[in-house]
Amino acid sequence: MSETIETWFDQPLVFTIAARHVRGRLVRLGPVLNTIMAAHSYPPVAEKLLAEALVLTVLLGSTLKDEGGQLTLQAQTGGGPVELLVCDYKGGELRGYLKFDAEKLAEIGPDPTLFALFGEGFLAITFDQATTGERYQGIVPLEGSSIGDAAEHYFEQSEQIPSLIKLAARHDAEAGCVAGGLLVQHLPEGEVGRDRLHVRHDHPEWEHARTIAATLKDEELTDPATSLETLAWRLFHEDEVRVEAGVTVSRGCRCSVDYFAGVLAQFPDGERRDMADGDGKIVVDCAFCSRIFPIPLDEISGQN
């Protein structure tokens, strides 16, 4: 390791193995994850799915170089018990929500496949760059054993970057929901005469890093007693690994009366009046944090 740091919960560990052209991230979510989960009463299968999706959102969102940029993860479902899955990350702020049919979810068992959860679903991954205003989106089938498998397909198809993603989540009697993840990627090399890596998924440097990274166990990712630095050292101790702490993650629901009033101000006056109840208020329900916002019509008109 190039330096000694100790990273535990709710803060990604960014690492680079320059000699193998490998970069990666490790993250373990705990307190912030439980704060997000507390807004809804999720059964175990739903909790695990959302927890892994939130970890994936942090792994991908923390790669944004634009501090004001946003990463959005959204599942487009096709007949499964999960009706909506959406998570986003912006400047370290994380939020997520899962809507599901409780009866159908109870019928598919404790360890369902992605097909059992989503049916013929698709995963949309969207990167919004605040500085340039550019938006990049990739859509891949929800196939494989976890939502991480679908994200690997995204990088292979849309970014042409060989990647390995491992996700794990469990419910601890004391710590509540704990979830962790690993993202490892092999980056293209710029030297003249070298093979381009997007056509060399069997590149020996990548094969070595991928094989080692794949040995990481779920219980290691979710073990509160083991720092992320220790995990990186266990995996890649044969190489020089440079590490740095990423941006600390916080619960980031951006709902407020002012925010919703600004959104509602974009509607014509007549439509706003139709939305209002008998007290002259438009009631907005935020799915992310499960809070109700009664917004008076006169406060909305003041946004214009």
Side-chain angles (χ1 to χ4, degrees):
M1 292 291 177
S2 58
E3 58 180 297
T4 300
I5 60 176
E6 293 294 325
T7 307
W8 303 86
F9 277 117
D10 302 339
Q11 185 175 28
L13 181 75
V14 181
F15 63 86
T16 305
I17 308 174
R20 298 190 184 278
H21 305 280
V22 166
R23 72 175 179 187
R25 275 157 174 73
L26 279 158
V27 69
R28 183 183 298 124
L29 299 180
V32 71
L33 181 60
N34 282 281
T35 301
I36 294 172
M37 293 294 183
H40 299 275
S41 179
Y42 291 112
V45 171
E47 180 185 82
K48 183 176 186 295
L49 173 61
L50 180 57
E52 292 184 350
L54 287 164
V55 168
L56 178 60
T57 302
V58 174
L59 290 173
L60 302 186
S62 63
T63 65
L64 285 165
K65 296 180 181 179
D66 187 340
E67 292 184 0
Q70 179 171 314
L71 179 283
T72 303
L73 198 74
Q74 183 167 352
Q76 302 173 1
T77 63
V82 177
E83 300 171 2
L84 175 66
L85 170 63
V86 59
C87 305
D88 68 45
Y89 173 100
K90 183 177 182 180
E93 295 185 346
L94 176 69
R95 62 180 182 174
Y97 172 66
L98 182 69
K99 183 181 179 182
F100 57 92
D101 184 307
E103 291 185 3
K104 290 182 179 180
L105 193 68
E107 294 173 355
I108 62 176
D111 191 25
T113 63
L114 287 183
F115 180 79
L117 287 166
F118 295 101
E120 295 287 345
F122 294 85
L123 181 68
I125 300 175
T126 307
F127 292 89
D128 287 293
Q129 305 289 345
T131 302
T132 63
E134 294 178 296
R135 166 177 284 198
Y136 305 94
Q137 184 179 74
I139 300 177
V140 291
L142 277 164
E143 298 174 344
S145 59
S146 79
I147 200 167
D149 292 341
E152 284 185 14
H153 295 156
Y154 161 79
F155 280 110
E156 181 176 349
Q157 295 179 16
S158 300
E159 303 291 334
Q160 298 181 326
I161 299 176
S163 305
L164 179 140
I165 297 173
K166 292 182 71 69
L167 305 171
R170 64 182 178 84
H171 195 93
D172 184 88
E174 296 182 359
C177 189
V178 179
L182 167 69
L183 167 66
V184 181
Q185 296 182 310
H186 204 192
L187 300 181
E189 302 164 16
E191 294 91 357
V192 176
R194 297 293 296 274
D195 290 328
R196 294 191 64 182
L197 291 182
H198 72 266
V199 295
R200 287 293 310 278
H201 286 260
D202 61 343
H203 194 290
E205 291 177 355
W206 170 238
E207 283 295 309
H208 177 82
R210 183 170 65 104
T211 299
I212 290 176
T215 64
L216 185 62
K217 297 180 175 60
D218 289 357
E219 51 266 33
E220 292 179 292
L221 278 171
T222 59
D223 179 10
T226 305
S227 71
L228 300 182
E229 182 194 29
T230 299
L231 292 184
W233 168 249
R234 286 178 183 174
L235 291 172
F236 304 111
H237 60 273
E238 296 179 357
D239 297 294
E240 179 183 355
V241 184
R242 297 183 178 181
V243 298
E244 62 178 301
V247 176
T248 300
V249 180
S250 62
R251 174 182 171 274
C253 194
R254 296 181 287 278
C255 59
S256 68
V257 170
D258 287 343
Y259 173 76
F260 287 127
V263 173
L264 291 169
Q266 309 303 314
F267 290 85
D269 289 342
E271 291 187 22
R272 292 202 299 265
R273 286 193 295 271
D274 290 341
M275 296 180 197
D277 60 16
D279 296 325
K281 297 177 182 179
I282 298 178
V283 179
V284 180
D285 181 358
C286 177
F288 286 103
C289 65
S290 194
R291 294 169 61 194
I292 304 296
F293 294 84
I295 305 174
L297 284 174
D298 56 359
E299 290 191 16
I300 299 173
S301 61
Q303 298 286 323
N304 292 327

